[in-house]
Amino acid sequence: MKKVFLILAITSISTLASANCTKTGSITSCYDSESGNSYTTYDFGTSSITNGSNANTGTTWSQNTTRLGNSSFSNGTSSTGTTWNQSTTRMGDMSITNGSSSSGKSWNSTTFGNGTTIHNSSDGIKSKSTTCDAFGNCY
């Protein structure tokens, strides 16, 4: 299942490990010569805008996030030009996230304070539920 936001987050995390980043005021720009990924994030108080591209593939993507209290709302455009969205609300030591992937599939996840996450997804016909522990073991 494509979850572009998850892919973007994983790419961003792994890119941070090998990317060269510079920060000037509220603007952070990063480039990873290994992958060809580059992205710039603009922070405006409780909102941020990230625009990225890959020099090797010529693809681009974007993400907008707004934070309100214990919630954050994100939407973006994947490298294939399709859109996605998600919202996350934190309640105590638990986070609930709902969204729609760039392929149009709805999904949600609940992460508990002990690190356990329950993922649910649906393509409108089939539903799937996966539980993962704090160590990344899923069943």
Side-chain angles (χ1 to χ4, degrees):
M1 174 187 350
K2 284 187 178 180
K3 291 185 182 176
V4 170
F5 51 86
L6 183 58
I7 292 169
L8 179 58
I10 291 169
T11 302
S12 296
I13 291 168
S14 63
T15 300
L16 287 175
S18 62
N20 283 327
C21 297
T22 58
K23 183 171 175 77
T24 305
S26 62
I27 301 171
T28 303
S29 296
C30 299
Y31 176 69
D32 180 355
S33 59
E34 290 179 32
S35 68
N37 286 324
S38 62
Y39 55 92
T40 301
T41 300
Y42 306 88
D43 288 312
F44 306 99
T46 60
S47 297
S48 64
I49 298 170
T50 300
N51 295 304
S53 63
N54 185 292
N56 298 331
T57 63
T59 57
T60 61
W61 64 90
S62 64
Q63 175 177 329
N64 301 310
T65 300
T66 300
R67 294 166 297 284
L68 295 169
N70 292 335
S71 298
S72 65
F73 307 91
S74 299
N75 62 59
T77 303
S78 73
S79 61
T80 61
T82 55
T83 59
W84 59 270
N85 66 72
Q86 75 175 40
S87 63
T88 300
T89 301
R90 185 156 182 86
M91 296 182 290
D93 67 348
M94 178 175 67
S95 293
I96 299 172
T97 304
N98 298 287
S100 176
S101 71
S102 60
S103 60
K105 295 179 182 178
S106 62
W107 63 274
N108 66 65
S109 66
T110 303
T111 302
F112 300 93
N114 65 3
T116 300
T117 301
I118 300 172
H119 303 277
N120 297 295
S121 61
S122 173
D123 61 5
I125 299 170
K126 298 183 284 185
S127 293
K128 179 182 177 186
S129 181
T130 305
T131 301
C132 302
D133 64 24
F135 303 103
N137 302 309
C138 299
Y139 48 95

